[in-house]
Each structure stands twice: as C-alpha cells, then as structure tokens.
Amino acid sequence: MGRKVLLFLFVGVLGAWYLYTPLPVNNEQPWELMCMDVGLKTVSNLMLLVELLGISHFMTSSLFLMRFLETPPTSDENVTVVDTTFHNISVRVYVPKRKTKTLRRGIFYIHGGGFCLGSAALYGYDRLSRLTANRLDAVVISTNYRLAPKHHFPAHVDDVYNTLRWFLRQAVLQEYGVDPKRIGVSGDSSGGTLAAAVVQQLTQDQDVKVKVKVQALIYPALQGLDFDLPSYREKANCPILSRWLTLRFCSEYITTDRSLEKAMSTNQHIPVHAAHLFQFVNWSSLLPERFRKGHIYKKPTFGSSALANKYPGLLDVRASPLLANDTQLRGLPKTYVLTCEHDVLRDDGLMYITRLRNVGILVTHDHIEDGFHGLVSFGLKFGARAENQYIKWLSENL
Ligand SMILES: *[C@@H]1O[C@H](CO)[C@@H](O)[C@H](O)[C@H]1NC(C)=O
Ligand SMILES: *[C@@H]1O[C@H](CO)[C@@H](O)[C@H](O)[C@H]1NC(C)=O
Ligand SMILES: *[C@@H]1O[C@H](CO)[C@@H](O)[C@H](O)[C@H]1NC(C)=O
Ligand SMILES: *[C@@H]1O[C@H](CO)[C@@H](O)[C@H](O)[C@H]1NC(C)=O
C-alpha cells in the first residue's frame, strides 16, 4: 500500500514537472499554450525514441504524423481553393469568389516548419491563407517545397524561387487576375527565411520584370552564424521552439551529418576565414539597447574549416539572408516584420530590421510582448491578434 502511494506521488511529481513550463505573466491563454507545448514535447520525445531505436529519422516520423493535421483543398462560400502545380512544384491557390472588375492583389505565401516539416495543406496554414484571401480580396498562392532530411539546401530555396518566378509570369498573373504592381511575398519561421532569401534574389534578377511591392516576415530565422544571441541565451527553453530544436532544424537544412549540429551547439561551426561575415550579424551593434541589456558580446569562437568547405550552404546568403551586404539590401521592397519576445529567433528579426532601416528601407515592426514562436499558425486567441496586425498591414500597404 505504502509503496503504491509513493509510486503515485513520484509519478505525480514527475508529471507535474513535465507539464509545467514557466510562462511569462499576462499571457491570455496559459493553459492552452502549456497543453500545446506538452503535446508537442511528448510527440517530439517519442519521435526521438523512434530515432534512437534506429527505426526512422526524427524528422521523417514527425512529418508523417503531421500529415494527420492536413486538410484537403475545400472551397467555402467565399474562396475557391485548388491544389495545382507551378513549375512541377505543388502549390495551393486561393481565389476569392466575389465578383470584381479590377485586378486583385496577389500574396505568395511560404509555410514554416524548420525546413523539415509542414506543408501548405496544414490546417493552420490553410486557415490563414483563406482568411487572407477573403479579407484582402487577394489571390493567395501557398507554395510547397522539398524538405530535409530528404533534400538539403538549396533545394528549398530553389523550389520556392521557381514557383515564385512561375507565378510572376504575365500569363499566370493574367489567368488569376492579379495586378502585377500589387504582389507581396510572406512567410513565417523558416518560411520567413525563404521569403527573405527569394525577395533578395528577385531584386537582383534581371530576367524577371515583375517585382514585388512588399515582403512580410513573421518571426523569421535569418542567419545561421551566431547561435549565442541574447534571444538564444534567454529563450533557449521557451515553449514550442527550443534552442535545441532550432539547431536540429538549421543543421538538417544543410546536412544530415550530426557533427554540424554538435558544432552549432557550442557556436563553433564557422571557420576563421569567414570572420568578416560576423559584421552582418553583430548583435552588439545591431540590436536595440533594450534587447542587449545585461548581455556581454563575446567574440566568435571559430571552428575548423572542414565543415564550411564540405557544406558551403553554411555561409550562403540564401540560407542566411542577414549576410547580404548593404548594396544588396538597398533594392528591397517595403517590409513588415513580426517578432515575438519569447522566441529564440527574436534577435534575427530585430537585426534585419536595423540593417534594412540603416539603408533606408521602410520597415513596420510589430513586437508581440507575450508572444511565442509559431503563434500565428496555432489558432489561439492571442495568435489571432498578431494575425490581425499582419493582415491589417497588408491591407494598408499592398
Ligand atoms: C465569408 O465571409 C464573411 C464576411 O467576411 C464571413 O463573415 C464568413 O465567416 C466567411 N465564411 C467562411 C466560411 O469563412
Ligand atoms: C515537369 O516534369 C515533367 C516530367 O518529369 C518534365 O517533362 C517537365 O519538363 C517538367 N517541367 C518543368 C517546367 O520543369
Ligand atoms: C561588433 O561590434 C562591436 C561594436 O559594437 C565591435 O567592437 C566588435 O568588434 C564587432 N565585432 C565583430 C565581429 O564585428
Ligand atoms: C555586395 O555583394 C555583391 C554580391 O556578392 C558584390 O558584387 C558587391 O561587390 C558587394 N558590395 C559591397 C559594397 O561589398
């Protein structure tokens, strides 16, 4: 009897410890968030076990499970939804049903999922795209792209750039009734990385005549050089996206070779011959004072050049859009950036804002003080607030 009680207590305490995630005060939906985090943590731990047992790669089994959160392309009373392909890559297209005599705005959306997970068909993304199409009376193209670990950089960015270029062709814009002067590119998380990368690429591409009017980056990852930013230090164990998971995603994007992840975890993955690139991600000069407070900038510790020689993606501007120099940034369109306080990726967004403003790009910044990574695609109430801010900006600027 006594032993059973003890066991019960033990399991209870363990369970409470497992469930409890310290949350900042003033969050409107602490329980919903905590439950979601615990759900994700549990699934992720199970998938790690599956990987440890040699059954399946962590990301492959996670991606498989995610398929159950997908929804078919179903039209509703306001929006016609179809799956099709652009340049052999599958995209989901949302066209408003209401009649219009003028051309519509076009939004090219890139989903997140750490370069390994996710799709345009995920319930949260499908909902966001419908909402955007309906509220803005816009055509939304939500693109898919090849994922890691099956495909590594630059497959993702190549796919997205190819679908974007396909969309920007005159014949395609005409087919969907899209105004070539009112096109925006948006993405969240790793989709924000890809959005920033393809918009940079587009501004320098002489072959594409149609340019985008705006870009919107929702808690984007923008560099893979420095994983010791204040946000990585402070938010390493925040819900939804931990530092550990971020490094797993970022390293898988480049290679399945786990030695890269290991080097990243101690921030020793960049060789000394690339030291000059740290000027572009130098948080001690690029972060606003209030985010730097209490942190001391440490000179980067350089690693061996073997990794960077083997995986040149590590130093590629298409994987780390913050590495673009000022000349390259100057051509960029009007920009919206949404950052969340409790997010390891917070400082990536903040540094990009500083760099863009330094060269005269107009940037609107929404910082969600009680926000967590991924909040827009989860469908919680405080996510809807951020979502509304993003859609409002598009409606006023696109
Ligand atoms: C259709 O649009 C109206 C007006 O914006 C909205 O109230 C309604 O909820 C929408 N229907 C769906 C299925 O989203
Ligand atoms: C699409 O794939 C088909 C079959 O693999 C190929 O013949 C065609 O050239 C591809 N089209 C483009 C635009 O890549
Ligand atoms: C970063 O900026 C600080 C000034 O804020 C400077 O002292 C330091 O040398 C810079 N480091 C690098 C690696 O660019
Ligand atoms: C910026 O980068 C581009 C492309 O790599 C290069 O051609 C150009 O010289 C660079 N500009 C400066 C000022 O470094």
Side-chain angles (χ1 to χ4, degrees), residues 204 280 324-328 330:
Q204 283 147 44
F280 299 126
N325 64 34
D326 286 357
T327 316
Q328 291 167 298
R330 253 176 219 122

Side-chain angles (χ1 to χ4, degrees), residues 345-365:
L345 300 179
R346 182 195 71 190
D347 295 349
D348 281 22
L350 295 173
M351 292 196 293
Y352 204 47
I353 294 168
T354 307
R355 296 223 32 226
L356 292 180
R357 284 183 177 157
N358 284 350
V359 297
I361 310 294
L362 278 177
V363 183
T364 301
H365 178 207

